[in-house]
Amino acid sequence: MTMKMERKLIQGDFIPRADDELIVCRCEEITQGEIRKAVYDGMFTMNEVKRYLRAGMGLCQGQTCSRLVQNIIARELGLAPGEVEISTSRSPARPIQMKQMAKDGVKK
Amino acid sequence: MKRYELIIIGAGPAGLSAAIEAASNGMQVIVFDENERPGGQLFKQIHKFFGSKEHKAKERGFRIGEKLLKEAEDLGVEVQLKAAVMGIFDDKEISVMLDGRVEHYRANNIVIATGASEKMLPFPGWTLPGVIGAGAAQTMMNLHGLKPGARVLMVGSGNVGLVVGYQLLQAGCKLEAVIDAAPRVGGYGVHAAKLARTGVPFYMSHTIKEADGDSCVKGAAILAVDSSWQPIPGSEKYLEVDTICMAVGLSPMSQLARTAHCEMENNPLKGGLVSICNKYGETSTPGVYAVGDVAGIEEASSAMIQGKIAGAAISFDKGYISEAEFTTRYEEYQNSLMQLREGMFGHKDKDSADTEHTEEGYTLSQSLLSKGYMEAEEIGEYPGIYPAEYRSKGVFPVIECSQNIPCNPCQDACKRGCIKVSGKITNLPSVDTSVECTACGMCVVSCPGQAIFLVDETLAPGYASVAIPYEFYPLPEPGSKGLALDRSGTSLGEAEVLKVQSSKAMDETAVLTMKVPVEWSMQARFFQVY
Amino acid sequence: MRIDHHPILKTFEKGKLVKFLYDGKVMEGYEGEPIAVALRANGVMIHRYTSKHNDPRGVFCAIGRCTDCVMVVDGEPNIRTCITPLQEDMKIETQYGISNNKEDESI
């Protein structure tokens, strides 16, 4: 599916839901309503939502919420969760301090 | 840059098994694991495993972990702990955070065995202290000797929820309920039955509405849902709990496979996003393998075999074993793996599974699926239930095994050959009435599902003895009195402990024999200390 | 909260009993066990308050993944207490946002 096609999926106004206050990204304290709103604002992929809201960008790096965010985007777009483009997976796969990163390649 | 022939990421059952296989063929192997201790989740598994002897069935998970570590150590496998792999790069190079710095390693082959992470269910209040993952409960109880809470609600009735629920009871916590949004218990019926007979209620088709509390959990509101998962008005219940434990599934930890540019697929049958692998576990990136839960959520027993297959394939590829040797081993491992994937809980589409009958055509207990225990009138159906007309002879076994689970230790447990699992490993065990039972109790303690009981209706006029598996502390003293509970955990009345057998061969499962009125002989299945 | 005698595992191997400071209060725990375990055994549930909503958080995954249990340990914030071993005289403080100071405006 091209990006242009995807953008046409959502029409109409954002309709609030009773459970919009639910925290989804525990680290950055992002709610379900904020994520739904982001989709209405045109954020259709995990990377886009992440950059828009910081959901999945906190200390745990989306370990807990990425599946949940994916499900919410999918539901809003009427897609199966697997059809939502997932965020890039790149090193470092675990939180690391800058001072440790800086020691890359430095001899003991 | 340090070079190895084989780098394995993850020292759990899959990774260690791959390491052992490859090292035993002469390969130079290093295993990285981010944790303080190796073994993955094995050291938190204190229950006896299912399967057959070759799958290490009836052994407790942590003991299997100890054996794997010993084997790896004897073979000279290097296990580097507290080493988090940060990424897999081109040419099979990895970066590892180790000892406060980043180190680089390269190998001809890499096995990704990073396991799974827990799925979580968001609900109002789920960020409150006291809401935890089932894995957290296991870590606290079984590694660190700490109760996660006093009164616990388990959300999820899959095997993880049921097994951890039982471990909570063993740790001395009170399990207030097991709930699941699905209408049927997701895990093995025998695991559910172990909880139900102690009096734990099962609320199927129930979901958690919210966790209550200001600074930490002090209760949970649950409510019933209909067949389209919609809340049923007026069905709300409040449970006073200080801990809410979530066991709603696992998802493969596939980030590293993605950094290695492995082709991925979203496969709900495998628990989510997994790399596409060939039959040896090799991903689309040549030389990079994925085994265990990261390749698809299964049991630890399957993970160990997958590890061996990958270890053998890599050994063959690098010329450490001959093609003939590899073919023999592969076939042996593959057969063993296929056995574990048999049955109604196997690695296939659960929605298409028959929920009415076993593969042999026996009626499945609907009560077991909806309430966690079998009704007395459903019991008679199964081939492991000693026929009534032979019961006057003396002691007889009662095998309350009613679902197709790949498991057969009961068959080997009886040295006299009273118990048989004929044909497939998933078939229900049957009893041979021509064999005299000596009441040794080995079948009782060998059943990982704790579904075997010994009954003697000739104990004394009007009285029967019922021997049950017992894994709680303290062990009751012979002569002490308590309550006999039925399969639903309902008290039948007073029972007296006749004897408590326990030995090294029984591996911490005691056989408790209680004296009950003879009319309870086919009902009394648990002893509750006064 | 500690399990004195487990039916399967019997007893748990522990380091020596040591003192540590929790928000200025002296507590006891076993050396080498996760800080979070020592705190829970002393009845501590709340490890931190979040920056946005000031909500209490505690142990969630207990294996170092979710980072909910982070606290200020020996002056350093964001320490995952569920996987950091307890040491004698450790100074453990509730974390507010990313600080040990409730009133810190910088968060």
Side-chain angles (χ1 to χ4, degrees):
Chain A
M1 197 188 313
T2 66
M3 241 6 161
K4 263 188 185 159
M5 286 287 290
E6 284 181 40
R7 306 286 159 176
K8 283 186 187 162
L9 286 174
I10 289 199
Q11 281 161 3
D13 295 328
F14 175 77
I15 304 156
R17 281 169 54 127
D19 54 359
D20 275 348
E21 289 300 303
L22 190 65
I23 295 274
V24 174
C25 170
R26 298 169 64 103
C27 298
E28 294 291 319
E29 298 175 85
I30 312 287
T31 64
Q32 170 161 273
E34 287 173 278
I35 296 165
R36 290 183 57 239
K37 189 72 176 34
V39 179
Y40 274 77
D41 290 346
M43 308 300 135
F44 290 2
T45 69
M46 301 278 287
N47 273 335
E48 287 169 356
V49 169
K50 183 166 158 179
R51 289 181 189 136
Y52 195 62
L53 292 174
R54 287 195 58 84
M57 225 166 172
L59 205 51
C60 95
Q61 303 188 318
Q63 299 246 15
T64 312
C65 73
S66 58
R67 272 189 61 262
L68 305 172
V69 173
Q70 191 179 9
N71 288 343
I72 295 168
I73 299 173
R75 200 178 58 203
E76 293 304 309
L77 295 175
L79 302 170
E83 293 177 285
V84 174
E85 194 183 309
I86 54 176
S87 48
T88 321
S89 188
R90 62 166 76 87
S91 175
R94 287 284 180 269
I96 180 169
Q97 290 178 326
M98 292 306 284
K99 67 178 178 196
Q100 294 177 338
M101 199 94 145
K103 282 186 199 157
D104 190 338
V106 178
K107 292 260 180 304
K108 267 186 206 175
Chain B
M1 176 110 57
K2 290 176 192 150
R3 284 173 184 273
Y4 283 84
E5 287 185 289
L6 173 60
I7 287 174
I8 293 174
I9 308 166
L16 284 178
S17 300
I20 289 165
E21 177 74 34
S24 69
N25 298 329
M27 291 192 81
Q28 175 211 22
V29 187
I30 186 165
V31 186
F32 293 102
D33 195 293
E34 61 180 323
N35 297 294
E36 291 238 326
R37 292 182 64 175
Q41 304 306 304
L42 277 176
F43 285 98
K44 301 172 195 173
Q45 309 307 323
I46 62 168
H47 60 287
K48 293 179 176 174
F49 277 26
F50 289 73
S52 69
K53 210 187 274 171
E54 68 198 68
H55 305 121
K56 300 187 164 58
K58 85 175 169 68
E59 283 191 57
R60 297 186 190 274
F62 68 98
R63 297 201 207 283
I64 296 175
E66 282 162 6
K67 280 189 186 168
L68 284 181
L69 280 183
K70 175 85 175 42
E71 266 185 84
E73 198 186 304
D74 290 349
L75 288 165
V77 172
E78 208 177 319
V79 180
Q80 183 65 62
L81 299 171
K82 292 188 266 184
V85 174
M86 312 306 289
I88 302 176
F89 305 93
D90 290 346
D91 300 325
K92 293 184 263 310
E93 178 183 334
I94 66 166
S95 66
V96 186
M97 182 171 49
L98 186 63
D99 201 15
R101 62 177 67 235
V102 178
E103 301 275 3
H104 293 255
Y105 293 82
R106 184 170 285 175
N108 300 325
N109 287 279
I110 296 177
V111 173
I112 303 171
T114 45
S117 60
E118 288 183 283
K119 289 181 182 171
M120 293 295 180
L121 180 75
F123 51 84
W126 77 304
T127 57
L128 275 176
V131 178
I132 57 172
Q138 274 195 319
T139 307
M140 287 190 240
M141 298 186 283
N142 302 340
L143 289 188
H144 305 300
L146 184 83
K147 295 180 205 178
R151 308 177 71 168
V152 187
L153 166 67
M154 181 62 70
V155 181
S157 71
N159 275 338
V160 174
L162 300 175
V163 165
V164 176
Y166 185 70
Q167 292 171 0
L168 284 162
L169 297 179
Q170 290 180 308
C173 310
K174 187 162 191 312
L175 186 57
E176 293 292 337
V178 175
I179 68 166
D180 201 310
R184 293 185 200 93
V185 172
Y188 294 169
V190 284
H191 278 319
K194 285 193 297 187
L195 294 176
R197 63 177 174 251
T198 71
V200 175
F202 280 69
Y203 295 106
M204 302 312 293
S205 296
H206 273 72
T207 189
I208 182 157
K209 186 186 163 220
E210 66 175 332
D212 179 36
D214 297 322
S215 58
C216 53
V217 174
K218 59 173 195 184
I222 62 169
L223 47 77
V225 291
D226 61 21
S227 54
S228 45
W229 316 99
Q230 294 307 305
I232 298 172
S235 65
E236 191 172 319
K237 277 186 199 67
Y238 186 86
L239 302 173
E240 251 176 60
V241 293
D242 57 19
T243 304
I244 298 170
C245 199
M246 273 194 266
V248 293
L250 300 169
S251 77
M253 203 135 62
S254 53
Q255 294 95 324
L256 284 178
R258 290 173 59 211
T259 64
H261 305 297
C262 301
E263 200 182 321
M264 309 297 289
E265 64 164 346
N266 209 302
N267 187 339
L269 297 182
K270 294 185 170 184
L273 193 69
V274 290
S275 42
I276 298 170
C277 294
N278 69 14
K279 60 183 177 176
Y280 308 125
E282 191 172 12
T283 67
S284 64
T285 306
V288 176
Y289 290 69
V291 292
D293 274 355
V294 71
I297 306 300
E298 280 184 87
E299 300 290 328
S301 336
S302 318
M304 290 189 273
I305 304 171
Q306 289 177 43
K308 285 192 210 171
I309 291 176
I314 294 166
S315 305
F316 166 57
D317 192 44
K318 295 294 159 205
Y320 283 89
I321 52 173
S322 69
E323 183 165 11
E325 179 62 40
F326 173 56
T327 310
T328 316
R329 281 194 215 176
Y330 172 71
E331 274 168 18
E332 179 200 324
Y333 296 154
Q334 187 61 22
N335 283 340
S336 179
L337 186 58
M338 291 326 282
Q339 279 194 340
L340 289 176
R341 290 177 176 168
E342 297 269 352
M344 61 185 283
F345 297 91
H347 201 63
K348 62 179 179 208
D349 193 352
K350 282 207 178 103
D351 295 334
S352 67
D354 188 347
T355 54
E356 304 284 328
H357 298 95
T358 71
E359 286 163 4
E360 306 98 309
Y362 298 107
T363 312
L364 283 171
S365 162
Q366 295 305 309
S367 171
L368 185 61
L369 292 171
S370 63
K371 293 187 267 188
Y373 60 90
M374 289 196 275
E375 296 285 2
E377 52 272 22
E378 291 174 316
I379 293 289
E381 169 95 7
Y382 306 104
I385 307 299
Y386 216 76
E389 58 267 37
Y390 297 99
R391 290 181 195 165
S392 56
K393 290 196 302 185
V395 186
F396 59 89
V398 178
I399 309 179
E400 303 191 356
C401 182
S402 66
Q403 295 175 330
N404 296 125
I405 293 169
C407 188
N408 66 7
C410 53
Q411 169 168 267
D412 296 330
C414 185
K415 296 285 171 258
R416 302 173 72 94
C418 177
I419 304 171
K420 284 193 183 61
V421 178
S422 326
K424 282 160 76 174
I425 187 177
T426 47
N427 284 351
L428 303 189
S430 59
V431 287
D432 182 344
T433 53
S434 69
V435 177
E436 195 187 333
C437 175
T438 58
C440 71
M442 288 315 290
C443 58
V444 176
V445 301
S446 298
C447 175
Q450 298 188 13
I452 306 183
F453 307 87
L454 297 176
V455 176
D456 183 358
E457 293 177 347
T458 65
L459 180 71
Y463 287 94
S465 70
V466 177
I468 61 167
Y470 195 85
E471 292 189 339
F472 298 96
Y473 183 82
L475 286 178
E477 288 294 322
S480 64
K481 303 262 173 77
L483 292 174
L485 306 186
D486 70 8
R487 295 179 187 88
S488 72
T490 308
S491 169
L492 295 160
E494 192 170 79
E496 183 192 334
V497 177
L498 295 175
K499 60 178 174 180
V500 180
Q501 296 155 268
S502 132
S503 69
K504 196 161 186 285
M506 293 179 168
D507 191 8
E508 311 304 345
T509 310
V511 178
L512 182 153
T513 307
M514 58 182 170
K515 181 183 174 186
V516 295
V518 71
E519 57 272 23
W520 302 346
S521 68
M522 290 301 283
Q523 291 172 51
R525 290 297 178 260
F526 193 67
F527 178 81
Q528 192 181 69
V529 181
Y530 271 135
Chain C
M1 295 310 282
R2 296 208 187 259
I3 303 165
D4 300 322
H5 195 103
H6 193 282
I8 310 298
L9 300 165
K10 308 298 173 198
T11 52
F12 296 86
E13 242 174 75
K14 291 283 181 187
K16 66 169 183 182
L17 196 63
V18 294
K19 290 193 174 21
F20 65 93
L21 276 179
Y22 161 72
D23 283 347
K25 230 167 47 189
V26 179
M27 287 183 174
E28 282 186 332
Y30 294 99
E31 192 175 61
E33 70 180 359
I35 294 170
V37 169
L39 288 174
R40 186 77 190 84
N42 281 280
V44 176
M45 292 293 288
I46 301 168
H47 287 219
R48 67 181 181 110
Y49 289 89
T50 60
S51 17
K52 235 191 219 176
H53 302 305
N54 198 34
D55 283 337
R57 295 286 173 88
V59 172
F60 186 54
C61 82
I63 52 168
R65 294 276 151 68
C66 77
T67 65
D68 249 340
C69 68
V70 298
M71 297 177 86
V72 182
V73 176
D74 288 336
E76 199 174 331
N78 284 345
I79 299 297
R80 291 173 289 177
T81 55
C82 69
I83 54 164
T84 305
L86 180 73
Q87 284 161 24
E88 189 158 17
D89 296 328
M90 236 176 190
K91 203 175 145 210
I92 297 151
E93 294 167 283
T94 305
Q95 184 168 317
Y96 300 89
I98 51 164
S99 156
N100 58 350
N101 182 358
K102 217 187 270 197
E103 314 301 329
D104 196 339
E105 295 289 322
S106 67
I107 58 169

